[in-house]
Amino acid sequence: MVRKIDHIDIRVSDLAEAERFFATLGMEVLRRMPAPRNSLEMKLPGDNQVVFEIRLKKESEPCGIAHVGFEIDAAEDVEALEQAGLSFSGKNRFVPASGRTVSNFTDTDGGKWQLTIAQKEDESNG
């Protein structure tokens, strides 16, 4: 089931300005993802820190937190949560840019959430 917070997805109007802001807080860039994703991942120094995916917002989107992603162990966890009553708008979609498999759902008030499965090291090497 849910193990920890994997990432927090934040929409911004100016990616370079946001990078400078978060760097001021001591965050470091982990990865840059070009168009069409237009985002970067940053975290505080040290092990086991939450990743902030900072993404350039689309014209129709507001700035701010778009969703929180929780790390899970396997796709079977998504199925178990679906059987427990969660309704998913997308399930087990692999995102090559981030190396995560994601499943999206909303809470009872329409808030957006995500479950993620990180690609294992041995899977990324072929």
Side-chain angles (χ1 to χ4, degrees), residues 57-104:
K57 77 175 196 75
K58 296 176 183 161
E59 189 173 312
S60 61
E61 295 176 324
C63 290
I65 295 174
H67 69 261
V68 174
F70 294 105
E71 183 179 299
I72 59 173
D73 290 320
E76 292 79 18
D77 291 336
V78 174
E79 301 305 322
L81 289 167
E82 189 170 44
Q83 288 179 5
L86 288 184
S87 179
F88 289 85
S89 60
K91 293 189 328 185
N92 299 318
R93 180 178 59 89
F94 182 66
V95 180
S98 70
R100 294 181 184 98
T101 297
V102 302
S103 299
N104 300 310

Side-chain angles (χ1 to χ4, degrees), residues 8-117:
I8 299 173
D9 189 310
I10 301 173
R11 302 290 201 262
V12 299
S13 60
D14 185 318
L15 199 56
E17 185 176 312
E19 180 179 352
R20 284 189 294 275
F21 171 79
F22 286 104
T24 300
L25 297 174
M27 291 188 177
E28 53 195 36
V29 174
L30 293 174
R31 175 183 3 219
R32 294 179 190 281
M33 293 172 267
R37 197 158 186 85
N38 291 322
S39 70
L40 59 107
E41 292 182 350
M42 297 182 79
K43 72 170 191 72
L44 290 167
D47 295 334
N48 300 315
Q49 294 287 350
V50 172
V51 171
F52 286 74
E53 182 176 4
I54 303 162
R55 190 187 301 227
L56 189 60
K57 77 175 196 75
K58 296 176 183 161
E59 189 173 312
S60 61
E61 295 176 324
C63 290
I65 295 174
H67 69 261
V68 174
F70 294 105
E71 183 179 299
I72 59 173
D73 290 320
E76 292 79 18
D77 291 336
V78 174
E79 301 305 322
L81 289 167
E82 189 170 44
Q83 288 179 5
L86 288 184
S87 179
F88 289 85
S89 60
K91 293 189 328 185
N92 299 318
R93 180 178 59 89
F94 182 66
V95 180
S98 70
R100 294 181 184 98
T101 297
V102 302
S103 299
N104 300 310
F105 65 100
T106 56
D107 62 30
T108 55
D109 290 317
K112 295 180 181 181
W113 301 87
Q114 188 173 79
L115 301 176
T116 69
I117 304 167

